[in-house]
Amino acid sequence: MNWKFTILSIFLLTFYVSIQAQDLLNVKKSEYLEGDKERKTAYKNILHAIELGKRGEDFVNQAVPLLKEAYQLNSKNAELNYNLGVCYLIAGPRNKALTYLKSAQKLNADISEDIHFLLGIAYQYCNDFDKAIVQFKINIELIQQNNYKDKKELIALSEKRISECKNGKQLLKNTSDLEIELMKDVNSAFDEYKPVWDGSDFYFSSRRGGVKKSRSLEDQKFYEKIFAQDPTGKIYNVSVNTPSKSNLALMSFTNEVPIIYLGGEGNGDVYFVKTSNEKWGKGKALKFINESKSRESSVCIGSKGKEIYFISDRKGGFGDCDVYYCIKEENGKWSEPMNIGGDINTEFDESDVFVTKDGKSLYFSSKGHNSIGGYDIFKCERKESGQWGRPQNLGFPINSTDNDITYFEDETGRFFFASQRSGGVGGFDIYREKEILEKIEAPVILPEQASIKELPNELKNEKMSAPVLAKTVVVPDIPVKNQPEVIEEIKMKEELVQEDFVYRVQIAACKKEMGPKDLFKRYKGGDVIEHLYVEGWHKYTIGGFPTFEDAAKYRDSCGVTDAFVVIFKGGYRLGIAKKTGGVK
């Protein structure tokens, strides 16, 4: 589906806008116009890359090689390193962002007001949760001290990320023995998700572009279309008679009749498929689900056809998108949609609902609960009372610090899902449970190809066998160290110590190093003066205070009229406080 407008809307808007709203940073012209012709060409590439960054998410990926070419000529430019880090965070692979963002901050501690937020995200994507937490806390501290009004939204985002990192630390200790593998021949450099299997062909959604490669106006990605892989491994575009400038996804099958999602910019509903000369077209709308002023998606039928679950952003929910359901009544009609409740829905987005055909297990994606980053996949078990139990995070290796979505199980119980994690082919990729020896040796019996019928009178269950799919690549296990709880407690104490901030009073800053006599003219006190050389400036500071207020008192009594307070973290300068108590 079109994740910009269906399930991942909030994530993409907050994540992408918070990173890129200020655009990529300008690079000093003088550093690329002096010297040979290659340097002038590199600077033109930088300007082009910055313009690509303004055009939309899908064009950021095109900016990376342009920036890398300039990087080969000058790797010591702070703004260029920053831009590369931001591009990798947006376009991926996101685990590559950390190296460039660390270099940017090392070259210029004041490179941007959001550098610590970005570093926190980069550490989080590398599963280095302790360092990520420290960076997010630094970000919060600096925004509050500096009164960065245009960065206030990063405080809530940082607090959410800190919670995710703490969840990740806990879940890493309980990594599952399950093995997953990447469906390499199904995936492309574009987004693939929403795996569905009908017993013969393996269907999925892709934004690789169809016959007419129209792009979404919002993110400039190709519109989502339906593709499939036949038993021989051949990939083909499923032709559906719908507008080219629309997003199209296969949701599920019911008695061999597909249910599809069809939507444009910011809207969408679900329909049955009708066929003519073996071509698909938009059939009857699921009117008992669709609502004119909301968007419905991710439909799944379970409990032997007696329940239907879906995602909607209609008014009255707990978050932007919630899980809803309808029950088939004795007269054969469906009930009015009901919200599944606050034990499953959260203030954050829920998406991708899937229910097993026996109705005993429910899966969905969510940014809430104990997510470890972006969307995680959760599972609920049906109680004897018929109510759903509390959601359980499926943990590593199914979930990651990136978005994990569109869980699906075939009739054998083998699971499939999509993930945006690093290590894939590109964007969202489809993964599946690694096939064990018993499944490989078992004979594969494919049912006869059934023609797609018109809307069925009742829902039926069909027996399906394991699909014949393309070659796979094994995803390496995430390394996990089993450590005693005592060591973990020590780590937590060390983390608390690392999170302490130190405030010093800066008494001078100049391009030429000052001698003892010059320093004594400015400061006649007896405290030790620390000398730092940062970006061509000699900076002199005094003291080490636990709070800003303590440092401000010393600033006002030290005898240096233009002194100011500087925030340090681990010996590294983070920000400068004004005389009024703010920080610039």
Side-chain angles (χ1 to χ4, degrees), residues 39-109:
R39 297 178 70 86
K40 295 180 181 180
T41 302
Y43 186 72
K44 290 182 180 179
N45 287 342
I46 293 172
L47 296 179
H48 186 201
I50 292 173
E51 288 302 313
L52 286 171
K54 297 177 182 179
R55 291 182 62 183
E57 182 186 349
D58 204 41
F59 286 94
V60 175
N61 190 52
Q62 299 177 32
V64 172
L66 298 173
L67 296 175
K68 288 294 292 293
E69 185 176 335
Y71 182 84
Q72 298 300 320
L73 293 174
N74 182 5
S75 63
K76 300 300 182 183
N77 182 278
E79 290 76 17
L80 183 59
N81 277 274
Y82 176 91
N83 290 344
L84 272 167
V86 168
C87 286
Y88 277 123
L89 282 183
I90 295 171
R94 290 177 176 164
N95 60 349
K96 288 188 176 182
L98 182 59
T99 298
Y100 298 101
L101 292 173
K102 286 173 64 178
S103 294
Q105 190 205 28
K106 184 176 180 180
L107 290 165
N108 181 4

Side-chain angles (χ1 to χ4, degrees), residues 431-448:
Y431 295 79
R432 66 179 178 184
E433 181 182 9
K434 185 178 180 182
E435 198 170 31
I436 59 176
L437 184 60
E438 289 75 11
K439 288 185 178 180
I440 295 174
E441 294 178 345
V444 177
I445 303 174
L446 293 176
E448 294 182 3

Side-chain angles (χ1 to χ4, degrees), residues 96-144:
K96 288 188 176 182
L98 182 59
T99 298
Y100 298 101
L101 292 173
K102 286 173 64 178
S103 294
Q105 190 205 28
K106 184 176 180 180
L107 290 165
N108 181 4
D110 299 325
I111 184 67
S112 72
E113 296 173 356
D114 59 0
I115 184 62
H116 293 285
F117 177 72
L118 300 180
L119 280 168
I121 295 175
Y123 277 118
Q124 185 178 2
Y125 284 135
C126 293
N127 289 353
D128 197 338
F129 298 119
D130 284 330
K131 289 183 179 179
I133 289 172
V134 170
Q135 292 298 324
F136 290 130
K137 290 195 173 185
I138 292 175
N139 175 68
I140 294 172
E141 176 80 5
L142 289 179
I143 291 174
Q144 292 174 338

Side-chain angles (χ1 to χ4, degrees), residues 195-239:
V196 177
W197 178 65
D198 72 341
S200 174
D201 290 7
F202 181 80
Y203 295 86
F204 59 95
S205 296
S206 177
R207 299 192 72 176
R208 65 187 67 182
V211 178
K212 296 181 179 180
K213 295 186 177 182
S214 300
R215 290 182 181 269
S216 164
L217 297 176
E218 291 294 326
D219 60 8
Q220 291 299 313
K221 290 187 176 184
F222 295 124
Y223 282 106
E224 176 185 1
K225 301 301 176 185
I226 302 173
F227 290 79
Q229 182 185 50
D230 66 20
T232 68
K234 180 182 178 181
I235 304 292
Y236 62 94
N237 186 192
V238 178
S239 177

Side-chain angles (χ1 to χ4, degrees), residues 63 162 242 245 291 300 308 335 389 398 421 438 463 532:
I162 289 170
T242 55
K245 292 185 177 181
E291 191 175 79
C300 184
I308 188 165
S335 69
I398 294 177
R421 69 189 66 185
E438 289 75 11
K463 293 290 183 181
L532 293 175

Side-chain angles (χ1 to χ4, degrees), residues 10-11 14 160 164 348-350 365-369 371 374-375:
I10 293 297
F11 169 77
T14 55
K160 178 66 168 63
E164 292 171 351
F348 303 99
D349 274 5
E350 276 66 51
S365 296
S366 176
K367 291 183 69 179
H369 303 291
S371 167
Y375 284 87

